Each structure stands twice: as C-alpha cells, then as structure tokens.
Amino acid sequence: MKDNPVDNETKKLLLVDDDPNLILLVQDYLEFQGYQVTTADNGRDALEILEHEVPDLIICDIMMPEMDGYELVKQVRQDSRISWIPVLFLSAKGQTTDRVKGLNTGADVYLVKPFEPEELVAQVESSLKQAQRLIDKSGGSVDGAQQGEKIHVPADVTLTRTETKVVQFVAQGLANREIAEKLNVSQRTVESHVSNMLNKTRLHNRTELARWAIQNRLAH
C-alpha cells in the first residue's frame, strides 16, 4: 500500500486472487488510480480480513485454493454486516454459462481475463457509484434497512404466500439459484416471483426489495 495518508474519500478495495503476478499488477494499477487496496490469496483469507475490515468493493477470482470465489460471495451475501458490498468477479472462464453462474451466485460484475486495466477501473467506478446511490437512498447508511429513509411502496401491496417466502430469502442475501433449491422450484420461477414483486411494489431492484421486507418485518 502507499505510504501517503489516505483521505476520507479514498475507497477501500479488497482484491482476492491466488495469482501473485495478477495481484501485483492490479494492486499497483488500482493504487495508482487512488484506491486503497488490501489483498488476500483465497476466499478463506478474505473472510478473515472481512471480520475486521469492511471494504467498499470486493474484486475476486473464482478458481482459488482453500475457498473459491463462489463460496466467498455466498458467505458475504449471508452476512448482513457486509452483504451490501459490491462484488466484481475476475475469471478466465468466459462462456455465457460461466457468466450466468457468477452473476446468479451474487456477483454484481463478471469480468473475463485477460482484461484491460482501464475496463477494470471503469467497472469498479460504476459499481461504487451504484452502491453509493443505494446508500444515499437509504439515508446515508449501509445499514439503511434499520435506519434512515423508509422505503415506500403502494399501500395496497399484498404478497402471495410463495412471494413472501421468496422475499424472505432475498432479504437474507440468497441468490435466485439458492432460493430455487430451497423452495424446490426452477430458477426461472423464482425470477418470475421477484419480477412480480418489483412490479407490485414499484421498487427498482432486489436490494430495495430486501430492505422493504426487513423494514416491514417480512424477513426473519
């Protein structure tokens, strides 16, 4: 890391990859762009760091020893303290099925190796801006589900029993694939339920849906 003092506007990134050369190159480039970067060799090391550090964004490889990226993201999404953190997957696997799996696991962005450093920075900045908009909307706190602005929906919104179950799992940070497994239905069915609830509530995304569920005590 740089020795110069970090100001309050400096965004903290957690970079997780088992390739030391990639770590070195990406860390140098991101720090040159003004970010503060902490590194980890695998998912298990990353979770240890996350116990006492809360970065603004996680950049993570998928195939790693000890704990892969899928499991890391799953653990992050299940922890309400850090579940809001945007995750950017880096992977050599570029097939559509790989991208879909990565995004369904809970990643926000899927970037295929090799990539241009400029593209990585653009994706990082885009993810951070999106996260900041959500924080601003929740009253300036990442814990906006419990404090800050209340999320408003039409007064006549009613959910079916299945939709209630789905939104409870969404509030717990589970991906559609995981919800489908728990309810023993297809992932497409879960996606349809989420879409219906977004239409009913006039909310914009799963994050707002989850916060609304928590604020209204729909989530356990």
Side-chain angles (χ1 to χ4, degrees):
M1 288 188 193
K2 291 181 176 179
D3 294 329
N4 55 319
V6 176
D7 62 51
N8 291 332
E9 295 304 313
T10 299
K11 295 294 186 181
K12 299 176 182 178
L13 311 180
L14 175 58
L15 176 60
V16 191
D17 201 299
D18 63 328
D19 181 347
N21 292 323
L22 184 138
I23 283 275
L24 192 62
L25 289 170
V26 173
Q27 182 178 12
D28 280 352
Y29 194 84
L30 289 172
E31 289 186 343
F32 180 74
Q33 297 296 319
Y35 295 105
Q36 181 180 346
V37 183
T38 301
T39 65
D41 295 332
N42 57 62
R44 196 173 302 282
D45 289 347
L47 283 181
E48 290 181 8
I49 291 171
L50 288 167
E51 286 181 7
H52 53 85
E53 286 186 36
V54 180
D56 296 288
L57 181 138
I58 298 170
I59 302 172
C60 178
D61 187 20
I62 293 179
M63 305 308 293
M64 296 179 292
E66 300 287 333
M67 180 186 291
D68 65 16
Y70 295 132
E71 183 60 27
L72 171 60
V73 173
K74 182 179 177 182
Q75 301 255 5
V76 167
R77 294 293 177 245
Q78 290 176 346
D79 185 341
S80 60
R81 185 179 59 90
I82 55 176
S83 62
W84 60 271
I85 300 175
V87 176
L88 192 159
F89 263 156
L90 300 178
S91 177
K93 294 184 168 184
Q95 298 294 322
T96 300
T97 52
D98 298 316
R99 292 173 182 268
V100 169
K101 181 178 180 180
L103 295 172
N104 283 338
T105 301
D108 298 273
V109 178
Y110 192 103
L111 199 57
V112 179
K113 300 176 183 177
F115 51 84
E116 293 295 329
E118 293 85 356
E119 183 182 5
L120 173 62
V121 170
Q123 293 285 12
V124 167
E125 290 179 352
S126 174
S127 296
L128 289 172
K129 285 176 183 175
Q130 185 173 358
Q132 187 61 51
R133 283 196 295 272
L134 291 173
I135 291 170
D136 291 343
K137 195 159 189 171
S138 65
S141 168
V142 296
D143 196 20
Q146 282 75 33
Q147 56 191 11
E149 261 182 45
K150 186 172 178 65
I151 291 180
H152 295 285
V153 303
D156 59 349
V157 169
T158 57
L159 302 183
T160 66
R161 185 174 299 178
T162 303
E163 286 173 346
T164 301
K165 288 180 181 178
V166 170
V167 81
Q168 287 171 349
F169 287 129
V170 169
Q172 292 171 25
L174 271 64
N176 288 347
R177 174 181 55 79
E178 295 170 309
I179 297 172
E181 289 173 359
K182 285 185 176 292
L183 296 180
N184 197 26
V185 297
S186 71
Q187 186 172 310
R188 190 176 295 275
T189 298
V190 173
E191 290 167 357
S192 177
H193 284 308
V194 171
S195 178
N196 286 341
M197 285 188 285
L198 289 175
N199 287 332
K200 284 182 180 181
T201 59
R202 298 180 190 169
L203 298 176
H204 300 95
N205 50 50
R206 286 167 56 97
T207 302
E208 289 186 359
L209 198 59
R211 287 177 174 160
W212 171 71
I214 293 169
Q215 287 178 352
N216 288 274
R217 305 187 185 281
L218 297 176
H220 297 315

